[in-house]
Amino acid sequence: AQSVTQPDIHITVSEGASLELRCNYSYGATPYLFWYVQSPGQGLQLLLKYFSGDTLVQGIKGFEAEFKRSQSSFNLRKPSVHWSDAAEYFCAVGAHRQAGTALIFGKGTTLSVSS
Amino acid sequence: DAGITQSPRHKVTETGTPVTLRCHQTENHRYMYWYRQDPGHGLRLIHYSYGVKDTDKGEVSDGYSVSRSKTEDFLLTLESATSSQTSVYFCAISGLAGHNEQFFGPGTRLTVL
């Protein structure tokens, strides 16, 4: 069965430090992978996506992610975290249905940024 | 931002009452989805639609029904609300099947007492 695992429930990073959020997936075919961010009380905003091609993808707000098929991972990175990055981050895999594609989400990682 | 609105944004109701949540889009996208978000569970798919009058179940569909009579509106109904359906409900839209990303609405916070 398709699944997404985000091993870290909560991470605290100092402002200006680098960030890496982990995501592992289980999916039989070539996965479509996404990272979304959710600020408190808000909906989800797409940060970046991977469909095929270059395994290092760039997203909005200075985020990037690397797809590693051998490790079934799609980790999110940012070289220098800003206080405004504090939010909840969700990794998702696109799962093909009989019609359309649904997203299977991980349980999320909450990022806190300390000054 | 994608043109997606959800109504109501907040609702408190009592166990056993029917509740209908509405998702409205102005993007003319074919695919629409309903998810629920609960602490420790992330988002889980309830139902989705791949066209007018075409819907299918997701992984947590028990106790929910949906309808889509026109492209822009996707309704989620709780026939008889239970406390376990207290959650935040998100609607999402997608323009294409396959790998296209989904765009999310602002969510509806539902409390069932």
Side-chain angles (χ1 to χ4, degrees):
Chain A
Q2 302 110 351
S3 65
V4 176
T5 302
Q6 295 181 244
D8 304 305
I9 296 174
H10 190 195
I11 285 181
T12 299
V13 174
S14 298
E15 190 170 15
S18 63
L19 169 71
E20 182 170 28
L21 301 182
R22 297 183 290 164
C23 173
N24 294 99
Y25 67 90
S26 173
Y27 191 70
T30 300
Y32 301 137
L33 295 161
F34 307 84
W35 274 99
Y36 284 85
V37 61
Q38 184 182 33
S39 298
Q42 303 297 312
L44 278 75
Q45 181 182 22
L46 179 68
L47 282 177
L48 47 78
K49 60 192 177 186
Y50 171 78
F51 297 150
S52 64
D54 192 347
T55 57
L56 184 64
V57 293
Q58 303 296 321
I60 62 171
K61 304 184 180 186
F63 286 92
E64 66 178 27
E66 186 171 13
F67 170 61
K68 293 185 177 179
R69 184 186 299 276
S70 61
Q71 299 178 19
S72 297
S73 69
F74 188 56
N75 294 349
L76 182 71
R77 301 194 294 248
K78 187 171 185 179
S80 178
V81 169
H82 187 261
W83 64 267
S84 60
D85 293 324
E88 190 161 20
Y89 292 80
F90 293 95
C91 181
V93 62
H96 295 286
R97 304 289 172 138
Q98 184 172 358
T101 299
L103 295 180
I104 296 175
F105 285 86
K107 296 182 179 181
T109 297
T110 299
L111 173 66
S112 297
V113 180
S114 61
S115 57
Chain B
D1 290 345
I4 311 169
T5 57
Q6 293 184 232
S7 59
R9 293 293 313 281
H10 302 271
K11 185 171 181 65
V12 180
T13 191
E14 295 189 349
T15 298
T17 60
V19 177
T20 295
L21 309 183
R22 179 183 184 234
C23 177
H24 178 78
Q25 60 143 330
T26 58
E27 305 295 323
N28 200 35
H29 281 357
R30 177 181 178 186
Y31 299 91
M32 299 185 75
Y33 307 82
W34 278 108
Y35 294 88
R36 60 177 289 174
Q37 182 180 28
D38 304 289
H41 289 277
L43 282 85
R44 293 176 291 174
L45 181 67
I46 305 171
H47 281 280
Y48 69 101
S49 170
Y50 47 97
V52 174
K53 299 189 188 304
D54 293 323
T55 65
D56 202 355
K57 296 180 179 180
E59 57 185 302
V60 290
S61 59
D62 288 348
Y64 301 94
S65 63
V66 290
S67 66
R68 191 170 178 198
S69 59
K70 46 187 177 178
T71 300
E72 58 265 36
D73 289 328
F74 192 31
L75 304 181
L76 177 70
T77 297
L78 292 65
E79 300 290 348
S80 178
T82 68
S83 58
S84 65
Q85 293 176 312
T86 293
S87 187
V88 180
Y89 292 85
F90 286 98
C91 174
I93 65 175
S94 178
L96 296 170
H99 55 53
N100 208 31
E101 63 265 34
Q102 295 178 16
F103 301 97
F104 284 79
T108 293
R109 182 173 296 276
L110 176 66
T111 302
V112 184
L113 302 176

